[in-house]
Amino acid sequence: MSKTSFYITTAISYVNGSPHLGHAYEGILTDAMARFKRLDGYDVRFLTGTDEHGEKVAKTAEENGMSAQEFADKNADEFREMTALLGLSNDDFIRTTEPRHYTAAQAIWTKLQDKGLIALGKYEGWYSVREEGYFTEDELTEGENGEKLTPNGTPVKWVEEESYFFKLSDYTEKLLDYYEAHPDFIQPASRRNEIISFVKQGLKDLSVSRHKDRLHWGVPVPGDENHVMYVWLDALTNYITAIGYPDEDSADFKKFWPADYHVIGKDITRFHCVYWPAFLMAADLPLPKAIFAHGFINVQGQKMSKSIGNVLSPTGMVEMYGLDQIRYLLLREISHGNDGNFSHDSAVERMNADLANGIGNLAQRTLSMIYKNCDGQIPEPPTSSEEDQKFLNGFYKEMPEAVRDKFTRFRIDEALKVIINFVGEADSYVDAMAPWALKKEDPERMKTVLYVLAEAIRCIAIAIQFATPSAAAKLLDQLKIPEDQRLFEHMSADYALKPGTAIDKPEGVFPRLEFSDEEQKAAG
Ligand code: MSP
């Protein structure tokens, strides 16, 4: 049977700076969904990459005394390195300066222009370089120094220039109808409501080019060397470039478009939920199935910012806490679509409670008892009580079903809670059965109890691979589970541990984290 396809993307990051914890969070969140879907039997394509054009990148390159291309190359490398550092399982990494992307971006432009939906005019209005977005007067507020600010708090400047316009005004009703007919298109619902109110005010035509006298760093407008494409039209197209656009008949395009999820931050919903669907409708292409907008990460209760000096680097975090630990923390602590806060103390508390004292301790205790008391082999379970069966059914049925249900609604934090609750169930089972006491009283029963526990650990390890892939793999390796039996479908009695299998000497997979006073201080 051929597998169902699943296409998921992150936003592509601007290369005007180095990656920070916010970028890392988005990558890890998307990776968790991609990994879960693979574990659940889907044929997954996971795309991430870098957004390299536009005024923001050009300006920062100049401030750094570098050409835009050199600067983009340097920072794109850092983003690519981040994907490896975080263990992201992306299948592709796209850069908008690649030839394949120029082809796609120019093709969509030509399609829109041929349909009479792009025409030359003059733009006069407010532009935020930080957001690379246009804003109307009534959206702006006044900052402390009297400067005008966008709803996201970034400064705007007045721009007047010749520009091509896209007929966005034709799409007000079409988009509203679409949102109505597809209630899950924008997730979570709070973001959907914001977008609907914005579109209800009526959409104006959108400036989609910049004159080369003002900005040369972009994809050239086909047939007009005086203009480059507006960075968002260029950037959004990356999602179809990577699967072969403009070849709509290519195998990848047919298989993966429309995308299942574009995962983005809450600050860029307008571009993804208004402009992008309008461009796609205009290009006669189907719309993505869903846009999921996550919240922002703050550090010690404050927005990350260079001026405060609280910008956390993914490299520093992985070095300090370990990769699986930081992945787990971000996925568990930031709840569905909301902002989250990072603080060193609560991070350590959470990692120790759930990982070191939770899964790590359960596995270490159980596997050490098997190693010592059962000749280092998975014991033969002589008789298994009804209570044991009921306990194991939770791991075979309830746990995978609940995890799947949470993922269907992009509630990854809750999927982890489900797994940790099952770790708690296993801990209670150990305490109630007290296998250490059975060693003398009833060694046969001890074997059954240890077998049942090892089975529970096998299922927990399979389930948690999406969050902590290395530690989960280590546990599955210790239990000698073959590589091809690590999917959700294998959490069943049909794939239960084989008695007599020699296991490796157990080694802890989640060390307890302890930091000296100095280290604590450095972490803030
Ligand atoms: N280049 C655009 C996206 C184009 S997608 C076709 C962009 N780049 S960005 O580098 O500014 O942001 C990349 C992603 O990181 C966005 O989804 C953004 O919301 C997210 N984050 C940036 N800072 C963040 C936090 N502090 N916390 C969580 N995510 C944040 O926007």
Side-chain angles (χ1 to χ4, degrees):
M1 213 176 59
S2 73
K3 294 185 187 176
T4 313
S5 60
F6 184 85
Y7 181 32
I8 188 165
T9 64
T10 64
I12 49 173
S13 303
Y14 287 126
V15 288
N16 62 315
S18 300
H20 57 59
L21 196 62
H23 300 117
Y25 170 60
E26 185 169 298
I28 291 169
L29 187 68
T30 313
D31 182 62
M33 179 58 96
R35 283 180 187 266
F36 166 74
K37 284 287 173 181
R38 285 194 202 99
L39 290 171
D40 211 20
Y42 288 72
D43 184 359
V44 173
R45 179 65 61 93
F46 166 18
L47 174 71
T48 187
T50 42
D51 185 357
E52 307 194 7
H53 296 121
E55 198 168 341
K56 173 162 159 156
V57 173
K59 216 173 127 203
T60 329
E62 204 177 301
E63 284 162 13
N64 282 271
M66 286 166 99
S67 76
Q69 185 67 59
E70 270 175 336
F71 187 67
D73 286 346
K74 174 178 120 6
N75 284 332
D77 280 348
E78 285 193 37
F79 278 93
R80 198 192 287 272
E81 283 158 16
M82 179 188 77
T83 61
L85 173 86
L86 299 176
L88 301 192
S89 61
N90 54 300
D91 303 283
D92 193 355
F93 185 98
I94 190 165
R95 296 184 54 186
T96 54
T97 45
E98 289 173 52
R100 61 172 172 164
H101 181 67
Y102 274 61
T103 306
Q106 291 182 328
I108 197 166
W109 176 285
T110 305
K111 172 101 191 198
L112 269 42
Q113 198 169 30
D114 287 352
K115 286 183 68 186
L117 293 167
I118 289 183
L120 201 55
K122 188 166 181 261
Y123 178 73
E124 270 186 4
W126 297 106
Y127 192 74
S128 157
V129 174
R130 201 92 69 73
E131 295 180 54
E132 298 279 19
Y134 302 95
F135 293 85
T136 55
E137 183 81 44
D138 55 1
E139 285 181 289
L140 305 175
T141 53
E142 202 158 296
E144 275 171 22
N145 313 322
E147 83 277 53
K148 289 182 185 294
L149 300 176
T150 72
N152 286 320
T154 67
V156 288
K157 63 173 184 182
W158 185 255
V159 175
E160 280 179 31
E161 66 186 27
E162 183 190 70
S163 163
Y164 284 90
F165 281 84
F166 168 67
K167 267 226 141 294
L168 186 63
S169 56
D170 279 3
Y171 291 87
T172 305
E173 289 309 317
K174 288 179 189 144
L175 286 170
L176 289 171
D177 290 348
Y178 193 85
Y179 304 146
E180 170 99 33
H182 300 85
D184 291 331
F185 179 58
I186 305 170
Q187 301 173 24
S190 53
R191 300 287 163 227
R192 176 172 192 264
N193 299 339
E194 283 169 12
I195 290 293
I196 292 179
S197 340
F198 170 71
V199 176
K200 272 195 177 151
Q201 293 165 21
L203 297 170
K204 295 205 180 65
D205 287 348
L206 179 71
S207 165
V208 285
S209 72
R210 303 300 303 275
H211 196 277
K212 77 159 192 325
D213 289 348
R214 300 210 187 239
L215 179 74
H216 61 279
W217 182 232
V219 179
V221 161
D224 186 344
E225 58 188 28
N226 284 327
H227 288 88
V228 293
M229 283 169 62
Y230 171 43
V231 65
W232 274 101
L233 172 53
D234 152 0
L236 288 159
T237 306
N238 91 87
Y239 301 132
I240 51 178
T241 302
I243 48 168
Y245 189 80
D247 184 0
E248 293 174 41
D249 292 322
S250 72
D252 274 356
F253 196 84
K254 282 185 157 159
K255 187 164 169 188
F256 292 113
W257 194 256
D260 291 83
Y261 269 113
H262 291 318
V263 179
I264 57 165
K266 64 175 185 181
D267 56 329
I268 54 173
T269 48
R270 185 179 299 184
F271 304 98
H272 283 80
C273 306
V274 182
Y275 299 176
W276 182 225
F279 296 150
L280 287 167
M281 284 178 181
D284 301 317
L285 291 171
L287 270 46
K289 291 179 207 156
I291 317 281
F292 178 74
H294 60 75
F296 261 46
I297 300 197
N298 299 322
V299 174
Q300 315 281 107
Q302 280 179 301
K303 203 173 159 182
M304 262 191 282
S305 106
K306 275 192 198 145
S307 49
I308 303 179
N310 64 348
V311 180
L312 294 177
S313 93
T315 320
M317 304 295 285
V318 170
E319 276 169 9
M320 181 141 192
Y321 303 106
L323 173 56
D324 278 343
Q325 284 81 351
I326 196 73
R327 286 178 59 107
Y328 178 83
L329 180 87
L330 295 175
L331 294 171
R332 171 63 185 79
E333 284 293 277
I334 302 174
S335 70
H336 181 77
N338 294 322
D339 288 350
N341 185 44
F342 178 85
S343 87
H344 173 74
D345 289 344
S346 57
V348 172
E349 205 174 302
R350 167 68 66 198
M351 294 173 193
N352 280 341
D354 291 1
L355 300 179
N357 303 346
I359 303 178
N361 185 41
L362 172 73
Q364 189 62 13
R365 283 211 277 178
T366 308
L367 301 185
S368 303
M369 277 190 272
I370 294 181
Y371 198 75
K372 279 194 207 126
N373 304 318
C374 309
D375 298 331
Q377 292 178 4
I378 299 291
E380 187 84 42
T383 47
S384 182
S385 68
E386 213 174 286
E387 199 183 350
D388 296 338
Q389 286 312 323
K390 199 164 156 248
F391 171 76
L392 275 183
N393 271 338
F395 291 86
Y396 293 151
K397 234 175 135 330
E398 287 157 40
M399 182 172 75
E401 274 173 15
V403 169
R404 188 176 290 120
D405 175 61
K406 299 300 185 190
F407 266 95
T408 309
R409 292 178 290 125
F410 224 118
R411 296 185 176 270
I412 299 183
D413 55 316
E414 292 183 8
L416 286 171
K417 271 190 223 165
V418 168
I419 298 172
I420 296 301
N421 281 343
F422 273 90
V423 173
E425 299 264 316
D427 280 334
S428 309
Y429 179 88
V430 183
D431 292 342
M433 301 298 164
W436 50 88
L438 291 170
K439 196 173 152 187
K440 280 209 181 104
E441 291 159 20
D442 185 353
E444 290 303 296
R445 176 70 192 144
M446 175 197 75
K447 284 185 190 163
T448 308
V449 167
L450 291 178
Y451 180 88
V452 168
L453 279 168
E455 243 322 72
I457 292 166
R458 180 180 74 88
C459 294
I460 290 168
I462 290 180
I464 203 146
Q465 290 174 96
F466 68 81
T468 60
S470 320
K474 263 193 216 155
L475 277 178
L476 293 166
D477 288 346
Q478 286 182 14
L479 288 168
K480 302 285 174 217
I481 307 299
E483 293 280 350
D484 60 357
Q485 287 183 18
R486 299 181 177 192
L487 301 178
F488 264 50
E489 65 177 283
H490 300 120
M491 278 190 243
S492 93
D494 297 344
Y495 295 91
L497 289 161
K498 302 245 172 337
T501 309
I503 61 164
D504 289 342
K505 186 170 188 318
E507 274 175 32
V509 291
F510 291 119
R512 214 186 134 71
L513 298 174
E514 273 167 65
F515 294 99
S516 66
D517 287 351
E518 260 166 38
E519 286 167 322
Q520 301 262 27
K521 240 194 229 139

